Amino acid sequence: MKGGRLKTVVCGTTFGQFHLAALAASPDEFEIAGVLAAGSRRSADCAARHGVPLYTDVEQLPEDVDLACVVLRSGVLGGAGTELALRLLSRGVNVVQESPVHHDDLVACLREARRHEVDYRVGDHYVHLPAVRRFIDAAHHVLDGQPAVYVDAACASQVAFPLLHILGESIGSLRPWHIRAAPAEPEAPFTVLTGQFGAVPLTLRVHNQVDPDDPDNHLHLLHRVTLGTDSGGLTLADTHGPVSWSPRLHIPESVKNRFDFDAPGTEHLAEPSTLVLEAASSSDYRHVLRDQWPLAIRDDLRTARSAVLGESCAGRPHQYQLTLARMWQDLTKELGYPSLRPHQRYRRLPASELAAATAQDAPSSAPAPGVAAPAVTQTSPLREVETGELARLARDAAERRVGDLDAQLVRDFVRQLDDAVLASMITALQHAGTLRDTERTYTEEEVLQTAGVVPQHHGLIRRWLKQLAQRSVIARDGEGFRGAPSRTEADVRRAWETAAESWCQGLGPDAFITYLRDNADRLPHLMTGGQQAALLLFPQGQTHLADSVYRDPVTARYLNTAVAATVSSLAAGRTTDRPLRVLEVGGGTGATTEAVIDALTGSHGTEPAVDYLFTDVSHFFVAAAKERFAAQRWIRHGLYDVDQDPAAQGLRSGSADVVVAAGVLNNAQHTDTSVRSLVRLLTPGGLLLITEPTREHLEILASQAFMMTAAEDARRRADTTFLSRQQWLDVLAGAGAESVETLPHEEHPLAPLGQRLLIARFR
Ligand SMILES: C[S@@+](CC[C@H](N)C(=O)[O-])C[C@H]1O[C@@H](n2cnc3c(N)ncnc32)[C@H](O)[C@@H]1O
């Protein structure tokens, strides 16, 4: 092992492919040393895809393998997993074996591991999935100060072991434990069991049927759990979310006696009857399989890695695993053999079809506070206009707004700004005591530690290091980086002054560059958490500076005008009397809204035939917009979180003709999911207008990125802050875009500033 990178082999290539994806996602921690499998075509392809050797026997493995993931059925399920694990352990290889493992096999493997002084553990990625983690964390909060009254759970028998693990992690104890099956209907898919888990009464329904032709594919569900307390029930609706909280219905005396719902003591009745705590409900299975599972396995393997490296956070003690294994055996004994259901069929019912059917037929449910859902009418007022034509109109309006531009000035500015930011980044790190010695190599961990970077900014400062190395400010050296010569304060000041001089030749207001420079000066405090980035953008809670940052720079003027022109040509070209329905998400300071209002109302200020719903995730911006746009009675206001399911926020499918998302989607945790949610809100032929940075921006890495949510999508995998233009095109194509246009085009003088408008039309 070099620099803590464990040479790891994956044994088995059915589920093992997820392990390979997990290892590939963390090249700093794991090196894929090979695939060990029976030698089928799939295994050979799989090894070739990862560019690693395929071994067909333990004896062929190289001597220096550190870790093996045994992803074969264990002995108890009729597979060779345990036997293989024992052989690997006896060769001095650390092993993570996929659950479930029989208690006696576990004892044998732990004994063999002890004999050879290596680590052995049972792997289970389910407890690391985002929704399950959220459920476990919420359970700890709910049970802090009150006991659980019941657990009501369901699972498929194939994933019963992880269910017990999830319950153990949520409740905090495993015993007292017992379980009994109730008599079952012969053909019923579910067996009902009752018992006790960690002293909490348990009811459990297990789907105990298997299709012998395809044993992993006939599952009615994975895991579903409700943890009941005197306050209410916490529910994990499915392994991939959502997690929700349903307070108990408690009717006070004032309601019973006087039917008074506003009397003191009825405040709890104003809370939602169910609150979805996270947005995993809208994770599609592609995202689950491609991203969530590998990352969860990676997190699980990290505990094994910590144990191998002798670190402290090496997971639960062996006794815990042994108890879980016993409990799983008790459960499977009660369940008996699964009944066989050969030739099971899968029928697809698209969720979108269901949503559309219920949106049109069902009476409207009460909208979420602040967001009054407009009625869904079926006739779209959108003319069959080409996106190319819309883009041309938008471009012409934007060109008129920004006037002639000096392409050379823009290119010079981009280079000068990058130089200034790089100088500030390296100086901040050096002042914090790291990367000073050009003869020394510093690992990422060391840089983060020495500079005192708070954990939530580790990812960001890693991206700094990547950029500093790519732009030759520091040199990569194996696993780490060489130090750099230091710069004087005068050098750094000059770099900023040069950039400011170019900027002020018509590219934007002084305030913008001063804002960036203030951030650069505060980098040591931003890194260490002593300075909140938001206070630099909203000094004393005021919005003047932010207003200017999102309104006045040349790209903001160009893009806001282009969005506005697109919306106004759609409003002008309506084919029915129905107002054009526009939803703006992440409206923020209202810079884009203001441009749209100007374009729609023209110089006469007439009221347009538009129903405009301004939203943001933050109350602060929604309240400010309400006040600012009070005169525009056709604008409604509400909260909307792009990370959450639209339906849970009171928005119905097909309720918008146009969605405007200006500079907000880089905050989404999962771009694909957020975009698909927005697309569901569109009428057929509707448009999504997105403005976004489409390259890495050093000045953002040194300012607003300190406020951004960590991404869980392609950006996390590639370690970038923004999606590229091509990645956006892929996201939009994946969401069903019929046509997409981007502005400004690649040869435009503003292109080097790296921001784009995407105009996407959906079927
Ligand atoms: C860069 S600003 C957008 C600029 C905006 N178009 C303007 O003119 O001010 C990002 C906005 O996205 C909002 N935001 C951040 N995360 C969000 C989320 N998950 N859902 C909706 N809005 C979010 C922020 O509150 C902020 O107002």
Side-chain angles (χ1 to χ4, degrees):
M1 145 192 16
K2 231 170 69 191
R5 275 180 97 205
L6 298 194
K7 280 187 166 245
T8 307
V9 287
V10 173
C11 314
T13 55
T14 311
F15 197 70
Q17 298 196 54
F18 290 101
H19 289 67
L20 287 162
L23 298 170
S26 282
D28 295 346
E29 295 164 302
F30 301 98
E31 175 187 338
I32 307 177
V35 168
L36 175 63
S40 68
R41 177 74 191 272
R42 183 187 53 228
S43 303
D45 286 350
C46 190
R49 228 177 10 255
H50 288 273
V52 296
L54 171 66
Y55 303 104
T56 51
D57 192 273
V58 178
E59 296 310 319
Q60 299 168 349
L61 292 179
E63 288 297 321
D64 58 352
V65 169
D66 300 304
L67 178 68
C69 307
V70 175
V71 201
L72 300 171
R73 284 173 205 283
S74 68
V76 65
L77 296 179
T82 303
E83 186 198 324
L84 179 62
L86 287 167
R87 288 181 66 199
L88 287 158
L89 292 166
S90 71
R91 281 188 50 144
V93 178
N94 301 284
V95 169
V96 176
Q97 183 176 0
E98 206 43 38
S99 76
V101 178
H102 190 283
H103 180 269
D104 296 348
D105 290 355
L106 188 50
V107 170
C109 288
L110 286 171
R111 195 174 293 142
E112 193 68 4
R114 202 168 324 119
R115 189 175 306 140
H116 296 278
E117 296 182 355
V118 287
D119 189 72
Y120 169 84
R121 60 191 55 230
V122 177
D124 179 6
H125 72 285
Y126 287 101
V127 291
H128 296 282
L129 288 169
V132 176
R133 274 266 50 97
R134 175 72 65 105
F135 177 78
I136 292 169
D137 291 346
H140 292 172
H141 183 80
V142 170
L143 298 183
D144 184 19
Q146 65 176 328
V149 177
Y150 67 86
V151 181
D152 179 27
C155 68
S157 55
Q158 291 92 325
V159 287
F161 187 95
L163 177 83
L164 299 176
H165 195 180
I166 294 169
L167 295 182
E169 293 291 314
S170 309
I171 295 171
S173 55
L174 305 176
R175 291 185 180 283
W177 149 264
H178 64 87
I179 192 95
R180 282 282 167 277
E185 289 294 320
E187 289 301 311
F190 283 85
T191 303
V192 178
L193 304 104
T194 55
Q196 249 195 2
F197 192 114
V200 183
L202 167 72
T203 45
L204 177 60
R205 282 153 289 132
V206 180
H207 178 220
N208 197 26
Q209 295 178 326
V210 166
D211 180 347
D213 307 320
D214 195 0
D216 295 326
N217 242 343
H218 175 50
L219 307 178
H220 281 304
L221 83 174
L222 291 175
H223 307 103
R224 189 167 297 158
V225 185
T226 297
L227 190 59
T229 67
D230 286 339
S231 308
L234 179 71
T235 297
L236 175 69
D238 178 83
T239 318
H240 305 105
V243 177
S244 63
W245 169 249
S246 306
R248 265 182 55 193
L249 174 60
H250 178 70
I251 303 180
E253 291 302 314
S254 58
V255 174
K256 282 188 203 155
N257 299 336
R258 285 179 277 125
F259 211 56
D260 181 355
F261 295 94
D262 298 313
T266 61
E267 293 75 14
H268 63 284
L269 297 180
E271 287 176 14
S273 57
T274 289
L275 180 72
V276 175
L277 299 182
E278 45 96 44
S281 58
S282 41
S283 291
D284 54 63
Y285 274 121
R286 213 178 251 163
H287 167 64
V288 163
L289 298 174
R290 190 187 286 156
D291 299 315
Q292 288 196 2
W293 283 19
L295 291 177
I297 291 171
R298 192 268 317 267
D299 289 348
D300 196 37
L301 293 179
R302 276 182 172 161
T303 12
R305 178 172 173 271
S306 294
V308 172
L309 297 178
E311 294 167 357
S312 53
C313 45
R316 294 273 193 181
H318 295 149
Q319 190 50 48
Y320 184 84
Q321 299 198 359
L322 288 164
T323 309
L324 272 179
R326 272 245 186 275
M327 292 166 74
W328 176 74
Q329 276 169 243
D330 294 345
L331 173 59
T332 44
K333 194 164 131 230
E334 280 297 308
L335 277 173
Y337 285 108
S339 55
L340 299 183
R341 290 277 177 284
H343 317 305
Q344 290 297 320
R345 283 178 45 202
Y346 164 73
R347 283 198 197 95
R348 177 168 181 246
L349 171 65
S352 53
E353 182 187 313
L354 191 59
T358 45
Q360 283 163 16
D361 302 337
S364 156
S365 59
V371 182
V376 179
T377 43
Q378 293 181 29
T379 2
S380 163
L382 292 173
R383 191 160 55 90
E384 276 293 312
V385 54
E386 290 272 315
T387 31
E389 186 193 331
L390 280 174
R392 269 191 300 284
L393 292 168
R395 186 197 59 200
D396 293 348
E399 297 288 347
R400 282 196 298 279
R401 175 81 177 86
V402 297
D404 281 344
L405 289 163
D406 177 347
Q408 187 57 45
L409 174 71
V410 174
R411 282 197 294 273
D412 288 346
F413 168 71
V414 168
R415 187 176 32 78
Q416 292 157 352
L417 180 64
D418 283 354
D419 286 347
V421 178
L422 289 168
S424 291
M425 283 175 170
I426 188 67
T427 305
L429 292 168
Q430 290 180 331
H431 276 182
T434 184
L435 292 171
R436 289 176 177 176
D437 186 347
T438 51
E439 302 296 310
R440 250 199 73 187
T441 301
Y442 302 78
T443 63
E444 271 186 1
E445 281 314 311
E446 184 188 350
V447 172
L448 296 172
Q449 289 300 327
T450 312
V453 179
V454 285
Q456 76 256 36
H457 298 323
H458 279 191
L460 174 59
I461 305 303
R462 284 204 175 94
R463 269 177 278 147
W464 281 22
L465 293 172
K466 186 170 146 188
Q467 290 295 329
L468 286 165
Q470 269 175 12
R471 294 163 194 252
S472 307
V473 176
I474 54 178
R476 268 192 196 280
D477 184 10
E479 303 291 312
F481 304 94
R482 284 298 177 110
S486 57
R487 300 160 193 235
T488 63
E489 272 182 34
D491 288 340
V492 180
R493 195 173 51 244
R494 248 192 315 277
W496 278 100
E497 282 165 2
T498 310
E501 235 165 72
S502 298
W503 178 254
C504 293
Q505 290 176 49
L507 298 181
D510 251 5
F512 178 71
I513 207 91
T514 310
Y515 161 69
L516 293 179
R517 201 165 160 184
D518 283 349
N519 276 268
D521 289 345
R522 306 287 298 158
L523 288 179
H525 306 283
L526 286 164
M527 292 188 306
T528 51
Q531 167 76 58
Q532 280 185 36
L535 290 181
L536 294 174
L537 186 55
F538 302 96
Q540 283 101 42
Q542 302 291 309
T543 59
H544 316 295
L545 174 62
D547 287 347
S548 173
V549 164
Y550 295 122
R551 182 188 56 213
D552 298 330
V554 64
T555 8
R557 280 183 275 143
Y558 182 99
L559 296 175
N560 287 335
T561 307
V563 170
T566 310
V567 174
S568 88
S569 17
L570 290 168
R574 285 177 313 126
T575 53
T576 73
D577 286 344
R578 171 159 84 53
L580 183 79
R581 295 167 312 183
V582 183
L583 166 68
E584 182 176 2
V585 296
T589 63
T592 310
T593 327
E594 189 180 40
V596 175
I597 293 173
D598 287 350
L600 286 172
T601 54
S603 48
H604 311 294
T606 44
E607 188 161 309
V610 171
D611 171 42
Y612 198 100
L613 179 55
F614 173 100
T615 67
D616 197 277
V617 73
S618 140
H619 280 282
F620 173 79
F621 288 123
V622 174
K626 231 179 210 169
E627 201 176 311
R628 177 166 170 199
F629 303 126
Q632 275 75 33
R633 293 157 56 95
W634 45 280
I635 300 192
R636 297 176 299 121
H637 307 269
L639 293 171
Y640 181 78
D641 182 347
V642 297
D643 286 332
Q644 304 286 339
D645 186 26
Q649 303 181 73
L651 290 183
R652 299 175 62 191
S653 300
S655 60
D657 303 309
V658 186
V659 171
V660 174
V664 54
L665 288 172
N666 54 71
N667 290 289
Q669 277 175 350
H670 302 288
T671 311
D672 285 293
T673 311
S674 295
V675 166
R676 281 162 201 229
S677 294
L678 294 177
V679 170
R680 279 207 306 278
L681 295 174
L682 288 174
T683 33
L687 287 118
L688 179 54
L689 310 182
I690 297 173
T691 66
E692 276 295 316
T694 49
R695 64 164 169 83
E696 215 57 350
H697 286 254
L698 296 181
E699 75 281 13
I700 298 183
L701 290 189
S703 56
Q704 282 138 307
F706 283 98
M707 295 183 261
M708 287 171 61
T709 333
E712 297 288 340
D713 52 22
R715 291 168 291 164
R716 173 162 165 168
R717 290 193 295 277
D719 212 4
T720 54
T721 320
F722 302 108
L723 295 177
S724 66
R725 177 176 170 275
Q726 186 54 51
Q727 284 173 314
W728 270 110
L729 295 179
D730 293 344
V731 167
L732 292 168
E738 195 177 58
S739 53
V740 184
E741 293 286 332
T742 32
L743 288 176
H745 60 75
E746 299 303 305
E747 307 306 321
H748 191 275
L750 288 181
L753 286 171
Q755 309 234 15
R756 294 288 184 277
L757 162 65
L758 297 122
I759 304 176
R761 181 189 278 282
F762 292 83
R763 277 164 233 130

